[in-house]
Amino acid sequence: MTDGGLRERKRTAAMYRIQTEALDLFEQRGFDDVTVEEIAEASDVSPSSIYRYFGTKEELVLWDEFDPGMGPLLAAALSDAVPLDGIRQVMTDGIDGMSAADEQRLIRRLRLAALSPSLAQAAVARSYAFAEMVEQVLAQQLGRPVDDLEVQVFSHALLGGLLGMFHHWQGTDFAEPLAGVLKRTFTIFEEGLDIVSARVPEPVVEN
Amino acid sequence: MTDGGLRERKRTAAMYRIQTEALDLFEQRGFDDVTVEEIAEASDVSPSSIYRYFGTKEELVLWDEFDPGMGPLLAAALSDAVPLDGIRQVMTDGIDGMSAADEQRLIRRLRLAALSPSLAQAAVARSYAFAEMVEQVLAQQLGRPVDDLEVQVFSHALLGGLLGMFHHWQGTDFAEPLAGVLKRTFTIFEEGLDIVSARVPEPVVEN
DNA sequence: TGTCAACTGACAGTCGGTGTCAACCTGCGG
DNA sequence: CCGCAGGTTGACACCGACTGTCAGTTGACA
């Protein structure tokens, strides 16, 4: 699922090591109060290399070793299944394949992302790119133009919903296992997002 | 709907004027190739003032004179209607109240946002904040905790869908009036986002 | 081993963004 | 008309993220 050559593996290993140092420093002193130079020093590489690896300071937190494989995987899943099911399958598999350490690291990264505005912003923008992938595959799948309104609304709403799921997970302090939350989220999707009809009939209590 | 005192109005007027200069420059030479200092010079203010007004360079494009009023408006609309209807009402009213010049300016800003990565990122993050407003009001409305999964998924999916709508509008070069696109978007919402069942039965053509 | 491409570190420079301080306007009481 | 207080502005200095370049090194591969 991961590597190509040895170079690639070494690169990934280096990035993982640098990210580990960075997460430690960020947790100790806050994202904004740690400079890239300090991380470089702690990781025994030059600042230049950090930028070559990650591109931006934010990516030091957001980068995920498993990300690169996601694209093709998603495309494949969407090509031979009902869209929603395909995406559910990919995500479920991904979560099931995560070790406890992986999940712990994910939680650390999410916690950090929630604490720093610039990180939160980058995180949202990053997952937005995900929606654009779904767009493309879905449009082709349905034989519609990529700019089709329904395709756009569906793709982005789906992605938004998943963001909401992570928001909930974070808000409840990661109490429930992610797999369970994901399952409930897709149930909500399947029921058609009809929170509207679930509105309580009683009048609102004054603030 | 807008001002408070005279100070506030002067400030808004100055921001509008600076934004106009900035939009011109950005369109001529691209967002990244114009410095804040140049905008300051063109607008006859100091760079310091621009940062005091807008905070960031991105906000020079994203700022909207009507934004400040949106919060209370939305809260009110959500408090006494079915959530989806309330939001639809606010947005429909907002669009109906826009002059042709306002819409033209909006289009200019959207065009710019699509051309520069940093702008696009900031724009997405900005609209994300909108979802958090919906979250709060909706949770209170339904008598559920803000971190309720369904509330989170609904709010963010809704916001995502609206983002998708703008994406479509942009992709079709703003051909259809925004009011029409909005109406169709909410129709999609009401039908429960069931693009799943609309899947074409034929097998996919090989790429 | 030799060659070539990819990678790395060092360095200088640009620019976005923040904090500080002095000058200035604006309205108010004497 | 004169000070005076609060908010607003401009000038300046500073930090740090990020880019481009260049020379030196390392690794892949014949």
Side-chain angles (χ1 to χ4, degrees), chain A residues 51-173:
Chain A
Y51 281 109
R52 269 189 282 259
Y53 281 141
F54 296 96
T56 67
K57 186 183 181 185
E58 284 77 20
E59 206 64 15
L60 272 165
V61 176
L62 303 180
W63 172 80
D64 191 308
E65 46 176 330
F66 304 118
D67 262 20
M70 283 301 278
L73 225 66
L74 182 78
L78 278 179
S79 301
D80 53 25
V82 173
L84 202 59
D85 290 342
I87 291 170
R88 188 208 336 239
Q89 200 54 49
V90 168
M91 296 206 62
T92 308
D93 290 352
I95 289 173
D96 285 348
M98 260 174 31
S99 71
D102 289 339
E103 178 160 338
Q104 208 48 49
R105 198 182 178 92
L106 174 61
I107 290 177
R108 290 177 71 191
R109 289 162 51 215
L110 284 174
R111 271 197 228 276
L112 279 171
L115 252 56
S116 154
S118 65
L119 258 177
Q121 171 166 340
V124 174
R126 204 176 198 278
S127 45
Y128 191 72
F130 196 77
E132 299 189 344
M133 261 173 41
V134 177
E135 242 176 67
Q136 313 257 345
V137 184
L138 188 61
Q140 193 197 337
Q141 172 81 354
L142 296 174
R144 303 195 197 177
V146 272
D147 286 322
D148 180 83
L149 179 62
E150 206 171 348
V151 169
Q152 293 286 338
V153 172
F154 177 82
S155 310
H156 288 83
L158 175 65
L159 186 278
L162 289 175
L163 258 159
M165 176 191 76
F166 279 108
H167 224 243
H168 161 82
W169 198 38
Q170 170 117 29
T172 54
D173 210 30

Side-chain angles (χ1 to χ4, degrees), chain A residues 7 45-46 48-49 52-53:
Chain A
R7 271 243 164 81
V45 292
S46 79
S48 318
S49 293
R52 269 189 282 259
Y53 281 141

